[in-house]
Amino acid sequence: IFRQMEPLSAIIVAFTDYCQKIATTSAEKLHQIRTSIKETDGPELAVLANALPSIHQCIDVPSKKVAGVGLKAYHRIKSAFRLFVRAISSSDQPLVLFLDDLQWADPLSLDLIESLITDRENKSLLFIGSYRDNEVNDMHQLTVQLHSIESKHVSIKKIKVGNLSKEYVNELISDAIQTSPRLTHSLTNAVYRKTSGNIFFVLEFLKSICNEGFLYFSLKFNQWEWNIPLIESKNTSANAVDLMLCKMKQFPEDVQSALKLFSCLGTDCEECILSLITSGDGIDEFGCTDMMSSLEFSIEEGLLDYSDSIYKFVHDQIQIAAYSLIPETDKEKYHLWIGNQLWANESALSEKAIFVTVGQLNKGKMLITEEHQTIELIRLNLQAGEKSMSLGAFAPASFYLEAGISLVGSFSWKEQYDLHLRLYESYAEAKYCTGEFEEINKVVNEILANAKCLDDKLGAYFTLVTTLNAQSKTQESTKVGLDILSSLGEPMPVHLDMKATGIIELKKTKHILEGKTDDEILTLKALGNNHKIAAMRLMYGLALGCFFDRRDIYVWLISKMVQISISDGICKESAFAFATFSALMATVDVILDVNSASRIGKLSLRLLQILQAEEYTAGIYGAVYFFTQTRVDHFCKSLEPMN
């Protein structure tokens, strides 16, 4: 619950551990893995590094801004992880991925798990997941994901793990105290009556009766002995939380205080984050004299574990118990103090720590009274939301952006114009990605009612057009889009015979291209006019919607995009425009010229690399290899690049 809003949290923990282990392996094996990753992941390495920073420990990834947010980022991340897992698993060295507590996994992690499991190109991955079925109903995201996996004919072996039988409890006790199982039945019967075989209860109950002297080692007889009447008289808690509460309340006050603070961070926390929290002033107000020593004491008592610079509660019920020690009226105070401690060290915060910081401050926001602190928290939520969108994690993005919007509501648009605009624009896109179309209309209307100029309205218009396309409302999206194009200085001629207009534009564009050499096209200047750039982006979105329903407008849009690229300069959408125009030249009779089409198609592939327009790869490859190159070469030659 504490970590659900951290995008990809379930997956990143597992692969971070893997990268750390690989980084310390032999030089030969490290070189082999690096080579495999480079060959397999290739251009998607930057996308992978954006989601999994620990990959830098295994391989040098060039610093590069990753293009695309929303659905584009989502699909690229899934692809990058698929390629990564293919690279690090083989028939000689299969990969086993185990994730615990899937009932708490964030939606993106679950979707990514499905993507990895259903990858038919990878036969060397074994996935093992565990979850509590009493916390998962038919509507739970995990249940939906499991049904989706099964529908793709992937074999799933389900193993229900229940309480231990009395026989197994006897074996456990016998092994623990090194006593013949024939002699431990009386102790086993008493323990089993108190715990019903729940392994967590069994272990904690054994510890408690040992600490209280009901189970002890007799030096006189050199054997373990136990007092059944005293064990039977011992009260036991009905649940794990009460059991751990009783245990914690016996600890020194400073240890209890440390556990309370640590529990506010969830089930685990990196040591570097803890050091930032404990480095400032004010921790003594919470009863902590030496946080790290108290955590070491908790490790010795079996409540915490420490591995790979991460402190972790050995069981989530222990975290819940520790958190329940804090009075309800004080919890906001704890969270706000932790958030402020982290934010005071802003320059030292990692991307992961940003999510921890904003999560803590959001939980303590009701105690924030200073206006400048509220504004900073709004900015933090916006930052976390935008980062989540770049990872394709739409549920966390919506959560953070909603939090930001609720806070910015105390200011007017005039007072905090930029924050309002960025929050609402990002929120509209997040809602588009989750398919909440009715909510989008409300958000778009809010932006259009308050934006100062056309430029500030463009983001909302883009989302609106895309949303209408997604709902197959092509007529509405086309009308809105063409009106905006007209405002941007690119009006579409209004003629009764749009088909004839399209033919004229096709011939005109073909003539322009015939007058340009390959070098002239590849060295075209970058498009610098912001309105032209916006028009190109909008034309791309409209073209996707018009391809099936309004071919006449589609032809005009693609022709116009190529013309703008030649006359004003190129942008990422130009690569798509050249690719799709090559497909038109290869299939439309009035400009049919397969050789010229092949030339323009190949140029579009070059532009794809030059412009680093990876987010348009699918559309460009589809146009060139499916429509164009199959007219000049055997279709088999198109299969490999399409794969």
Side-chain angles (χ1 to χ4, degrees):
I1 295 171
F2 279 76
R3 297 191 58 184
Q4 275 183 325
M5 287 303 114
E6 184 184 327
L8 282 172
S9 56
I11 288 287
I12 288 177
V13 170
F15 281 108
T16 295
D17 183 53
Y18 173 84
C19 289
Q20 289 171 344
K21 285 181 170 59
I22 290 300
T24 58
T25 192
S26 65
E28 181 182 353
K29 186 175 181 181
L30 182 59
H31 175 73
Q32 180 183 354
I33 291 174
R34 281 175 174 169
T35 303
S36 180
I37 293 173
K38 284 183 178 179
E39 290 176 351
T40 308
D41 241 305
E44 296 302 294
L45 268 176
V47 178
L48 184 65
N50 184 46
L52 183 66
S54 58
I55 191 68
H56 288 284
Q57 298 179 43
C58 301
I59 188 170
D60 293 328
V61 182
S63 179
K64 177 182 175 183
K65 185 178 180 181
V66 179
V69 293
L71 288 176
K72 289 180 181 177
Y74 166 76
H75 290 302
R76 290 191 69 188
I77 286 172
K78 283 173 65 175
S79 174
F81 267 97
R82 268 192 170 193
L83 294 172
F84 175 60
V85 172
R86 288 180 196 174
I88 61 177
S89 57
S90 64
S91 56
D92 295 332
Q93 192 166 12
L95 181 70
V96 179
L97 175 60
F98 171 71
L99 293 178
D100 195 9
D101 288 323
L102 287 179
Q103 74 275 5
W104 294 337
D106 60 284
L108 181 57
S109 288
L110 291 175
D111 206 27
L112 189 52
I113 289 167
E114 178 182 346
S115 176
L116 297 176
I117 293 172
T118 57
D119 183 7
R120 299 189 181 279
E121 297 294 318
N122 189 357
K123 306 295 184 183
S124 304
L125 170 67
L126 171 64
F127 177 78
I128 304 173
S130 65
Y131 66 95
R132 296 177 191 160
D133 55 6
N134 63 319
E135 295 184 25
V136 175
N137 57 30
D138 291 341
M139 301 302 292
H140 194 283
Q141 180 68 27
L142 177 60
T143 305
V144 174
Q145 220 78 42
L146 288 172
H147 288 328
S148 177
I149 293 170
E150 288 177 316
S151 70
K152 296 174 182 175
H153 307 293
V154 174
S155 176
I156 297 178
K157 178 70 173 177
K158 295 181 180 179
I159 304 172
K160 187 172 179 63
V161 180
N163 291 341
L164 296 179
S165 67
K166 189 184 293 187
E167 178 186 355
Y168 288 139
V169 172
N170 191 51
E171 286 186 24
L172 185 151
I173 292 174
S174 168
D175 185 63
I177 63 176
Q178 293 294 290
T179 302
S180 170
R182 292 184 296 102
L183 303 176
T184 56
H185 283 298
S186 62
L187 176 58
T188 296
N189 290 336
V191 172
Y192 194 81
R193 278 193 291 271
K194 294 291 185 179
T195 65
S196 299
N198 181 301
I199 183 62
F200 182 75
F201 279 16
V202 168
L203 295 176
E204 290 301 321
F205 189 75
L206 286 172
K207 291 177 187 176
S208 67
I209 61 175
C210 192
N211 290 336
E212 293 175 37
F214 302 165
L215 170 65
Y216 56 92
F217 188 81
S218 171
L219 295 176
K220 179 179 179 181
F221 298 105
N222 197 32
Q223 65 181 20
W224 284 90
E225 296 185 349
W226 46 90
N227 190 317
I228 294 297
L230 288 176
I231 293 174
E232 293 282 11
S233 67
K234 180 176 170 59
N235 292 324
T236 55
S237 302
N239 58 64
V241 173
D242 291 340
L243 178 66
M244 298 314 302
L245 271 174
C246 292
K247 182 172 183 176
M248 289 180 194
K249 287 178 179 178
Q250 298 174 17
F251 291 169
E253 286 294 329
D254 57 334
V255 174
Q256 292 186 47
S257 298
L259 286 171
K260 286 191 283 187
L261 268 177
F262 185 71
S263 71
C264 291
L265 295 161
T267 56
D268 61 78
C269 184
E270 294 177 359
E271 188 173 13
C272 59
I273 294 178
L274 279 175
S275 65
L276 293 177
I277 294 171
T278 57
S279 62
D281 299 326
I283 195 169
D284 53 324
E285 294 181 20
F286 298 91
C288 280
T289 54
D290 189 340
M291 177 105 175
M292 305 314 286
S293 294
S294 295
L295 294 183
E296 290 299 323
F297 176 89
S298 301
I299 291 172
E300 293 173 5
E301 289 294 319
L303 272 64
L304 297 182
D305 184 27
Y306 178 78
S307 176
D308 297 324
S309 300
I310 295 176
Y311 286 92
K312 182 179 182 179
F313 282 105
V314 297
H315 197 283
D316 63 274
Q317 295 297 308
I318 301 176
Q319 184 264 332
I320 294 171
Y323 192 63
S324 69
L325 288 171
I326 307 173
E328 286 295 326
T329 54
D330 290 346
K331 286 180 179 177
E332 290 180 344
K333 178 183 176 182
Y334 274 74
H335 289 297
L336 182 61
W337 182 81
I338 293 171
N340 283 332
Q341 288 296 107
L342 291 171
W343 190 235
N345 295 278
E346 176 188 3
S347 59
L349 294 179
S350 63
E351 284 185 343
K352 177 181 177 180
I354 290 292
F355 290 109
V356 177
T357 304
V358 70
Q360 294 295 314
L361 292 174
N362 280 338
K363 289 184 176 75
K365 65 184 178 184
M366 296 303 294
L367 299 179
I368 295 177
T369 56
E370 297 293 330
E371 183 177 294
H372 70 90
Q373 290 180 319
T374 302
I375 293 172
E376 281 304 312
L377 181 53
I378 295 170
R379 294 186 191 281
L380 266 178
N381 275 290
L382 176 61
Q383 182 181 346
E386 290 178 338
K387 177 61 180 177
S388 298
M389 286 296 291
S390 75
L391 294 172
F394 312 127
S398 294
F399 174 83
Y400 291 120
L401 295 169
E402 283 175 4
I405 288 172
S406 70
L407 290 166
V408 84
S410 59
F411 303 94
S412 68
W413 272 75
K414 186 177 180 180
E415 291 174 307
Q416 293 295 331
Y417 180 79
D418 289 339
L419 277 178
H420 271 91
L421 186 62
R422 287 180 62 188
L423 279 166
Y424 276 97
E425 279 186 344
S426 296
Y427 186 57
E429 185 166 4
K431 289 303 177 184
Y432 162 72
C433 294
T434 56
E436 298 174 65
F437 299 135
E438 289 186 9
E439 184 69 17
I440 293 171
N441 290 330
K442 298 176 186 176
V443 179
V444 167
N445 289 335
E446 177 75 12
I447 296 172
L448 297 181
N450 292 281
K452 294 178 180 178
C453 59
L454 174 63
D455 287 358
D456 290 348
K457 295 178 180 180
L458 287 175
Y461 278 132
F462 289 146
T463 302
L464 179 59
V465 168
T466 310
T467 299
L468 292 170
N469 278 337
Q471 298 175 86
S472 299
K473 297 179 179 180
T474 307
Q475 187 173 349
E476 293 178 47
S477 69
T478 303
K479 183 181 183 305
V480 173
L482 292 178
D483 287 345
I484 305 165
L485 279 178
S486 182
S487 300
L488 291 169
E490 301 296 338
M492 187 184 76
V494 180
H495 294 294
L496 293 176
D497 191 355
M498 276 302 298
K499 183 176 180 181
T501 301
I503 291 173
I504 292 171
E505 293 299 327
L506 283 173
K507 291 180 177 179
K508 177 182 175 182
T509 307
K510 181 184 178 187
H511 178 72
I512 292 172
L513 289 172
E514 288 173 343
K516 297 290 182 181
T517 66
D518 290 3
D519 285 342
E520 285 176 327
I521 291 174
L522 294 174
T523 56
L524 286 167
K525 66 179 181 180
L527 185 57
N529 185 309
N530 288 334
H531 277 192
K532 295 286 185 184
I533 293 172
M536 288 287 284
R537 179 184 169 189
L538 186 56
M539 287 178 183
Y540 166 76
L542 287 173
L544 296 179
C546 291
F547 181 77
F548 291 108
D549 296 334
R550 291 299 305 269
R551 289 284 290 180
D552 51 348
I553 296 178
Y554 172 81
V555 166
W556 179 83
L557 290 167
I558 298 302
S559 300
K560 196 65 180 175
M561 290 177 75
V562 175
Q563 292 172 24
I564 291 174
S565 299
I566 297 294
S567 61
D568 297 280
I570 54 176
C571 58
K572 290 187 175 185
E573 288 77 13
S574 298
F576 174 82
F578 278 89
T580 47
F581 193 80
S582 78
L584 291 173
M585 292 177 70
T587 56
V588 178
D589 289 340
V590 294
I591 56 168
L592 192 62
D593 185 344
V594 293
N595 291 324
S596 295
S598 179
R599 170 195 166 226
I600 299 302
K602 290 176 180 177
L603 286 173
S604 74
L605 296 174
R606 297 276 300 279
L607 288 172
L608 171 63
Q609 294 179 321
I610 293 170
L611 298 169
Q612 297 182 348
E614 292 89 353
E615 61 268 39
Y616 298 99
T617 300
I620 292 170
Y621 271 41
V624 174
Y625 290 112
F626 185 79
F627 287 102
T628 304
Q629 289 306 114
T630 52
R631 266 64 176 181
V632 293
D633 288 323
H634 194 282
F635 76 90
C636 288
K637 291 187 177 181
S638 293
L639 293 179
E640 184 176 346
M642 288 289 278
N643 284 333

